[in-house]
Amino acid sequence: MLSKKTKYGIKALTYLAKKEQRDPIPIAEISKSENISLKFLESILLTLRKNELLGSKKGKGGGYYLLKEPSEIQMTVVMRILEGPISMVPCVSLNFYKKCADCPDETKCAVHNLMTELRDSSLEIFRNTTLADLCNC
Amino acid sequence: MLSKKTKYGIKALTYLAKKEQRDPIPIAEISKSENISLKFLESILLTLRKNELLGSKKGKGGGYYLLKEPSEIQMTVVMRILEGPISMVPCVSLNFYKKCADCPDETKCAVHNLMTELRDSSLEIFRNTTLADLCNC
DNA sequence: TAATACCCTACTATATTAATAGGATATACA
DNA sequence: TGTATATCCTATTAATATAGTAGGGTATTA
């Protein structure tokens, strides 16, 4: 299951991407428009900022804004920040690899091989989809 | 993340599929061979039996056995029984559909559309993979 | 200096996962 | 018929993750 964190994060990014200007947008505006709990959204945008997808400005007239063009933000990056590994098992993950304790030989593991195939197809979709693509919905 | 339940379930099914005969195999044998907690595996095989993938025989000489040929068991079926929906969000699920409370229009939702694409590619892999394919690892 | 809006830490309720425990029931075989 | 074998079934639990909530701190603008 996709976490609400990721779901809300993507919605917020899309909201920002759809704006013509790149002026700071307050959290409250996104929260209202997308029906997301303000405090929860606050923490999500904070992680996106710490991972250099968003910039922020404090005080009156402040808010969050995209640091790159929507067409330059791949969904692989967004997913890894918000959801973690693309792969469904650590032994298949490229960025979060961890060996299985119970499995003596990965190359002969049915789960490993099935999940490798799945990861590859997911990765292709996330790589070929940018925030700009998601704005055309 | 793939649950251990699903992981162990697939491993157990593959173990049974690899056997030449379709004689009943005791849980303990699978448990030892695949390094899976006996009691946990017990509950997993029980659900697979209740969902008509496995048959069982009690008493001495008893155990579990496949009810169909491995080549006739699609991974879509296995995944839905063990893991639940293929889709990462309920609003995209074919078999477990549920509308999002926060989302006024699915067709315009970035998450919905991205996850639909993802589901389709996952579905294609799971449909085109049978237990027999997983035995060739 | 007052209002705005992000920044940060800590806490909590709920649900899920991954088992574990313990016994009931059915079967084979001597 | 008795005993060992092996599934069947319910209930409980420890650990973890999720989805928030609470409360105040800090920077900026007008």
Side-chain angles (χ1 to χ4, degrees):
Chain A
M1 276 293 140
L2 194 77
S3 67
K4 302 262 181 189
K5 183 178 160 191
T6 305
K7 181 184 170 186
Y8 295 160
I10 293 174
K11 282 193 160 198
L13 286 170
T14 309
Y15 183 85
L16 293 176
K18 277 181 174 167
K19 296 262 171 181
E20 298 291 311
Q21 279 87 17
R22 291 285 163 258
D23 304 325
I25 309 292
I27 305 177
E29 181 184 329
I30 309 174
S31 161
K32 271 179 208 161
S33 165
E34 302 297 316
N35 297 309
I36 305 169
S37 143
L38 186 105
K39 277 297 200 174
F40 193 22
L41 182 58
E42 205 180 306
S43 73
I44 295 167
L45 297 185
L46 204 59
T47 46
L48 289 173
R49 196 214 54 175
K50 284 182 179 167
N51 284 280
E52 291 155 4
L53 278 188
L54 295 179
S56 66
K57 196 183 169 193
K58 284 186 180 178
K60 194 169 189 177
Y64 283 96
Y65 50 91
L66 291 176
L67 286 175
K68 295 178 197 169
E69 281 307 299
S71 61
E72 283 168 0
I73 301 177
Q74 284 184 340
M75 290 314 293
T76 41
V77 176
V78 176
M79 288 298 291
R80 284 190 176 120
I81 292 171
L82 293 172
E83 192 73 8
I86 306 286
S87 159
M88 288 186 83
V89 280
C91 71
V92 165
S93 177
L94 298 172
N95 288 251
F96 302 80
Y97 176 84
K98 196 159 168 279
K99 193 184 178 306
C100 294
D102 57 302
C103 195
D105 185 356
E106 278 179 7
T107 62
K108 288 179 186 166
C109 175
V111 177
H112 179 86
N113 287 284
L114 178 63
M115 290 301 136
T116 301
E117 215 182 324
L118 193 70
R119 179 210 60 197
D120 287 340
S121 81
S122 302
L123 216 46
E124 204 186 314
I125 289 175
F126 289 138
R127 260 207 273 262
N128 293 328
T129 307
T130 69
L131 255 198
D133 299 316
L134 295 188
C135 290
N136 305 326
C137 294
Chain B
M1 276 292 140
L2 194 76
S3 67
K4 302 260 181 191
K5 183 178 161 191
T6 304
K7 182 184 171 188
Y8 295 159
I10 293 174
K11 283 194 161 196
L13 286 170
T14 309
Y15 183 84
L16 293 176
K18 275 180 176 165
K19 295 263 171 180
E20 298 290 313
Q21 281 86 18
R22 292 284 164 258
D23 304 325
I25 308 293
I27 305 177
E29 180 183 328
I30 309 174
S31 160
K32 270 179 208 159
S33 166
E34 302 296 318
N35 298 309
I36 305 169
S37 146
L38 186 104
K39 278 297 199 175
F40 192 23
L41 183 57
E42 206 180 304
S43 72
I44 295 168
L45 297 185
L46 204 59
T47 47
L48 289 173
R49 196 215 55 174
K50 286 183 177 167
N51 284 279
E52 290 155 3
L53 277 188
L54 294 180
S56 67
K57 196 185 168 192
K58 284 186 180 180
K60 194 167 187 178
Y64 282 95
Y65 51 91
L66 291 176
L67 285 176
K68 296 178 196 168
E69 281 308 299
S71 61
E72 285 168 359
I73 300 177
Q74 285 184 341
M75 292 312 293
T76 40
V77 176
V78 176
M79 288 299 290
R80 285 191 176 120
I81 292 170
L82 294 170
E83 192 74 6
I86 306 287
S87 158
M88 288 186 82
V89 280
C91 72
V92 164
S93 176
L94 298 173
N95 287 251
F96 303 79
Y97 176 84
K98 198 162 168 276
K99 193 185 178 307
C100 294
D102 57 303
C103 195
D105 185 356
E106 279 179 6
T107 63
K108 287 179 186 165
C109 175
V111 177
H112 180 85
N113 287 285
L114 178 63
M115 290 301 137
T116 300
E117 216 183 325
L118 193 69
R119 181 209 60 197
D120 287 340
S121 81
S122 303
L123 217 46
E124 203 186 313
I125 289 176
F126 289 138
R127 261 208 272 263
N128 292 328
T129 308
T130 69
L131 256 197
D133 299 317
L134 296 187
C135 291
N136 305 327
C137 294

